[in-house]
Amino acid sequence: MSKATILRDLFKRDGFFKIVGAHNGLTARLVELAGFEGIWASSLEVSASHAVPDANILTMIDYLNAAIDMNEAVSIPIVVDVDQGYGNSTNVIHMVKKFEAAGIAGIVMEDKLFPKQNSLLADGRQELASIAEFVGKVMAAKNAQISKDFMVIARTEALIAGWGQEEAMKRARAYVDAGADGIMIHSKKDTPDEILEFVNAWDCDVPLVIVPTNYHSFTEDKIKNYPKIKMVIYANHVIRSAVTAIKETLREIKKTGGIDTVSPKLIPISELFELQGTTDMKENEKRFLMSGKEKINVIIPAAGAPLDPKLREVILKDTPVCMLDVNGKSILQRNVEILNSLGISSINVVVGYNSNKINIEGINKIMNTNFEETGVLDSIMCAEEQMDGKTLIIYSDILFEKRILEGLIKKDDDIVLVIDSSYKERKIDESKLLDLVIAKDDPAKGERILKLEEDNEIIKIGQDIPKDKANFEFVGIALFSKKGIGILKKFCNETKNLNKGFKKSDLGDFNRIIQKIIDEGNKVSCFEVHKGWTEVHTFEDYKMVSSIHSSRD
């Protein structure tokens, strides 16, 4: 379930729920650990953390990066305070695409003019946009979103600006008509009276959001008597409490001339380590960090040009497929990060087509000068010198979940191919050639299966296997022991010498070498998965994978 879906479900349940303002990953994690249902990525908190006024000084990217840090630190939804949408309706469209793609659950956008000043600023300048202008922004935001669950909440500042109840109601109703999923009604009064006047008059079937920062006597015991209020934001108490505590700590250190008296008042360093995820890091090191004897070399053949014209000409524009941007990170960057997280750092990428566009830290680039005339097998063999031990081969146009490699690298067989049993469940273009597999045993039933202990093996592999005869699809990931990679190199070199090179090879040449290895009596084992990966061959594949990662990241 995506975080946007979780957020929308919170609005549907009885009563109200609470979200709390945060400004970075650590404060967001503390909010989650305290038991709140969501995070308010507060523009006030984020701007204050940069020591600048909450007055449109930071850019959209500053707020996006802060929201991403928070989102990655927690499992609960993030609602982002996006001010006026960082510009006009065109900017709003760009903003929604970026925030939704990053996995943000929803946004709250206010109807002020740029540049704004914080709503609670004494004697602040509170100028409102016209209703027509802000209606256009709300419509632009709703039209830009991809997921039906992503939420756009319109915030009216009419009461803040002193324009009265009638203006506030007129604006809120117009924003609902434009498609807003909720209305945030804001006030800087020290009592909830004008908020309750609005709430009692509200007659639209759209939930209300309040921020009781100034009217803090309006406690939850009182809020529960107003069922139209569905979300309560405790907007800036985290950074205010942080500043309070930091000032007190620094004052005491300065006063006492040391940390002797202040240290017992602070959380132990071990608790800070726990908040940072240090325990999980140490556990992963024990499980996956490779010793010298267990080093795994990775070969990623990425020399070929994109085959799909639409993908090549519209999206990639002379960029290799492995550098295709998926929600802010390229395919290659995502895969390198997974490998690094498992302690695998010897990553060799065979390049060719526009190789200068492949700029990722931590990889070794190997040039295939014949990439226009050869296929995957030739690219793999360009890295023959790097195949001096346990070797992992990963196709460059696939994305996969970390769990697949976690299970695969535990296998002790000489040759192991990752195969997927879910291909028959997908809608596939009949003209598309699949790397199909016939394995000795049929797949296990159920979702997200990883069969770690089963001793299954591959009988046949190729793109010419009838779909009704196959029981798996080759994913494009293979693991070879030192002996296994020796077998692969031997068969490849024999084929190369026989054909005087790989000139006649095509996209299925790796499959044919594996089949030849099987036919010569060598066992090729398999690691079975059910989903958990995707390939990007076409523009439609790209749209699908972007949608998947927008809800997952």
Side-chain angles (χ1 to χ4, degrees):
M1 183 181 294
S2 73
K3 291 182 181 179
T5 303
I6 294 171
L7 178 65
R8 193 167 284 272
D9 286 348
L10 286 170
F11 274 97
K12 293 177 182 177
R13 75 182 192 181
D14 293 337
F16 62 93
F17 65 98
K18 294 91 64 182
I19 69 174
V20 178
H23 53 273
N24 57 22
L26 178 61
T27 52
R29 181 165 290 176
L30 288 169
V31 171
E32 180 177 32
L33 291 173
F36 292 96
E37 291 98 330
I39 306 294
W40 171 243
S42 162
S43 66
L44 172 58
E45 291 220 7
V46 173
S47 58
S49 72
H50 286 75
V52 299
D54 181 21
N56 295 131
I57 294 173
L58 299 182
T59 68
M60 183 200 78
I61 295 300
D62 294 320
Y63 291 112
L64 174 61
N65 288 338
I68 290 172
D69 288 343
M70 295 183 228
N71 195 43
E72 291 180 348
V74 300
S75 61
I76 55 179
I78 306 290
V79 180
V80 180
D81 177 4
V82 298
D83 293 336
Q84 313 95 315
Y86 312 114
N88 62 20
S89 294
T90 301
N91 301 97
V92 167
I93 291 169
H94 178 67
M95 175 267 295
V96 167
K97 289 180 178 179
K98 287 292 186 182
F99 278 84
E100 185 183 13
I104 300 306
I107 59 171
V108 174
M109 182 168 58
E110 64 188 75
D111 56 1
K112 281 182 182 171
L113 288 177
F114 180 94
K116 73 154 197 178
Q117 292 184 356
N118 187 274
S119 302
L120 304 183
L121 182 64
D123 300 320
R125 174 178 39 78
Q126 309 297 343
E127 299 174 312
L128 303 189
S130 69
I131 293 176
E133 178 184 345
F134 195 70
V135 161
K137 287 186 178 184
V138 174
M139 293 174 63
K142 292 303 296 179
N143 287 333
Q145 73 183 71
I146 296 173
S147 165
K148 62 181 176 58
D149 287 334
F150 182 80
M151 297 194 71
V152 176
I153 297 170
R155 167 177 168 175
T156 179
E157 297 283 280
L159 299 182
I160 293 288
W163 289 21
Q165 292 286 337
E166 183 178 349
E167 180 69 17
M169 189 62 66
K170 180 170 66 173
R171 285 174 171 266
R173 286 170 177 161
Y175 305 158
V176 170
D177 290 341
D181 298 300
I183 294 295
M184 176 176 155
I185 180 68
H186 202 14
S187 170
K188 59 183 176 182
K189 300 286 188 182
D190 59 5
T191 69
D193 296 349
E194 66 175 0
I195 288 292
L196 294 182
E197 183 179 348
F198 182 94
V199 170
N200 289 329
W202 185 243
D203 56 1
C204 295
D205 189 22
V206 166
L208 295 178
V209 178
I210 64 167
V211 188
T213 303
N214 272 24
Y215 50 97
H216 43 77
S217 63
F218 192 45
T219 61
E220 293 176 13
D221 279 343
K222 298 173 183 176
I223 295 172
K224 68 183 180 182
N225 296 318
Y226 299 88
K228 296 173 187 177
I229 299 173
K230 299 301 293 185
M231 184 168 80
V232 177
I233 303 175
Y234 299 132
N236 49 49
H237 297 77
V238 165
I239 198 160
R240 288 163 61 193
S241 61
V243 170
T244 301
I246 292 169
K247 286 175 65 178
E248 179 59 33
T249 297
L250 295 175
R251 187 183 299 114
E252 186 167 344
I253 294 173
K254 180 73 173 177
K255 179 181 178 181
T256 63
I259 58 174
D260 182 52
T261 61
V262 77
S263 291
K265 302 176 184 178
L266 307 180
I267 64 166
I269 194 69
S270 59
E271 185 176 339
L272 183 60
F273 286 157
E274 194 65 30
L275 288 169
Q276 292 176 280
T278 307
T279 301
D280 291 339
M281 178 195 73
K282 291 172 66 177
E283 181 61 29
N284 286 333
E285 284 184 350
K286 291 178 183 178
R287 295 174 61 195
F288 306 121
L289 194 60
M290 303 299 162
S291 67
K293 293 182 180 179
E294 298 175 312
K295 177 183 176 182
I296 296 180
N297 299 304
V298 180
I299 310 298
I300 301 178
L307 296 179
D308 180 61
K310 190 173 183 181
L311 192 63
R312 181 175 63 246
E313 297 166 11
V314 177
I315 302 298
L316 288 167
K317 298 179 181 177
D318 300 324
T319 300
V321 174
C322 69
M323 295 304 294
L324 184 65
D325 183 279
V326 179
N327 300 333
K329 293 181 182 179
S330 68
I331 293 175
L332 182 58
Q333 180 66 53
R334 289 177 178 274
N335 293 346
V336 167
E337 288 178 1
I338 289 176
L339 289 163
N340 289 163
S341 73
L342 297 175
I344 302 173
S345 58
S346 178
I347 303 171
N348 304 280
V349 181
V350 183
V351 300
Y353 174 78
N354 286 329
S355 59
N356 61 308
K357 299 286 184 70
I358 300 178
N359 296 305
I360 301 291
E361 290 185 5
I363 66 170
N364 174 42
K365 293 203 295 188
I366 300 170
M367 189 67 191
N368 179 359
T369 56
N370 296 321
F371 71 91
E372 292 181 330
E373 303 171 2
T374 58
V376 172
L377 193 61
D378 184 55
S379 288
I380 291 171
M381 290 305 293
C382 285
E384 184 176 2
E385 291 185 5
Q386 284 69 34
M387 302 178 192
D388 58 356
K390 200 168 187 179
T391 301
L392 185 62
I393 294 175
I394 302 174
Y395 285 8
S396 65
D397 58 357
I398 63 170
L399 284 160
F400 50 87
E401 293 180 4
K402 181 178 177 179
R403 66 188 180 96
I404 292 178
L405 288 193
E406 286 178 334
L408 177 63
I409 61 179
K410 296 175 184 176
K411 299 284 285 185
D412 295 323
D413 305 77
D414 290 322
I415 303 175
V416 188
L417 271 59
V418 178
I419 58 176
D420 177 34
S421 59
S422 72
Y423 78 96
K424 292 182 179 179
E425 302 171 15
R426 305 197 309 268
K427 291 182 179 180
I428 301 173
D429 185 348
E430 288 298 316
S431 64
K432 184 177 182 180
L433 295 175
L434 301 180
D435 298 322
L436 296 178
V437 168
I438 299 176
K440 181 180 68 175
D441 298 323
D442 285 330
K445 303 295 184 183
E447 288 288 317
R448 300 175 68 84
I449 298 296
L450 287 178
K451 294 176 65 177
L452 301 180
E453 307 299 332
E454 311 300 342
D455 186 25
N456 201 358
E457 65 181 281
I458 295 173
I459 299 171
K460 191 171 180 62
I461 181 172
Q463 295 179 341
D464 56 348
I465 297 175
K467 292 180 181 178
D468 60 341
K469 301 294 184 184
N471 48 10
F472 292 95
E473 178 187 7
F474 174 47
V475 166
I477 304 175
L479 180 68
F480 298 82
S481 69
K482 183 175 183 179
K483 177 182 176 182
I485 202 64
I487 294 172
L488 178 69
K489 290 195 289 186
K490 171 179 176 292
F491 276 81
C492 285
N493 286 322
E494 287 177 357
T495 300
K496 181 177 181 179
N497 294 333
L498 182 64
N499 296 332
K500 298 181 180 180
F502 291 109
K503 300 289 185 181
K504 296 182 181 180
S505 298
D506 60 21
L507 294 178
D509 54 6
F510 181 79
N511 298 338
R512 285 198 290 275
I513 283 292
I514 296 296
Q515 187 61 54
K516 190 173 182 180
I517 290 172
I518 294 170
D519 293 341
E520 292 290 329
N522 298 283
K523 180 181 178 181
V524 174
S525 302
C526 47
F527 181 72
E528 297 179 38
V529 301
H530 187 84
K531 304 180 181 179
W533 71 285
T534 187
E535 61 185 0
V536 185
H537 283 175
T538 66
F539 180 71
E540 293 303 314
D541 292 339
Y542 177 59
K543 289 197 296 184
M544 178 190 69
V545 77
S546 296
S547 176
I548 291 172
H549 280 270
S550 71
S551 61
R552 181 179 299 167
D553 288 352

